[in-house]
Amino acid sequence: MRVIYSAAIISNEHTFFTNENRKLAVILRQIIEEGKKDNSIQNIDSTKAFFQVIVQSFMGAIYFWGLQLDDAKLENLGEPLVKQLIMSLR
């Protein structure tokens, strides 16, 4: 994963994080739309803007993980971020 992230930053050939048609991106936008409709997600300006915030947050978590010199797991480092995002939307 660290190599993929580096390549996505350095090269325009790799669009792992920037391809909005990836299955994960499509699912994430659907979740946001459904949350807006049923009011389980509130106080966001737009689906696109909120999607971008989430993706950038995930990229930051992955970048932070890549800087770690220990055997920390990405899931453990990213968990506080995901919890905070969820809590702030309730």
Side-chain angles (χ1 to χ4, degrees):
M1 187 56 119
R2 294 174 188 187
V3 173
I4 293 170
Y5 186 72
S6 304
I9 292 174
I10 296 168
S11 171
N12 289 331
E13 295 175 27
H14 303 285
T15 58
F16 185 78
F17 290 107
T18 59
N19 181 354
E20 291 190 16
N21 294 318
R22 285 185 55 239
K23 187 69 173 172
L24 180 60
V26 171
I27 291 170
L28 185 54
R29 280 195 307 274
Q30 288 173 343
I31 290 171
I32 295 168
E33 282 297 326
E34 290 173 15
K36 284 173 57 179
K37 286 180 186 172
D38 70 8
N39 286 324
S40 61
I41 295 178
Q42 301 175 6
N43 302 322
I44 61 171
D45 293 333
S46 73
T47 297
K48 183 175 181 173
F50 188 59
F51 170 79
Q52 186 174 5
V53 166
I54 292 172
V55 169
Q56 288 176 349
S57 297
F58 288 169
M59 290 173 70
I62 294 168
Y63 179 74
F64 179 73
W65 169 69
L67 295 176
Q68 302 304 303
L69 299 176
D70 56 15
D71 290 332
K73 293 187 177 198
L74 177 58
E75 295 87 355
N76 295 340
L77 290 175
E79 187 175 345
L81 169 67
V82 174
K83 281 184 178 179
Q84 188 60 47
L85 280 171
I86 292 169
M87 295 293 289
S88 67
L89 295 171
R90 289 187 174 176

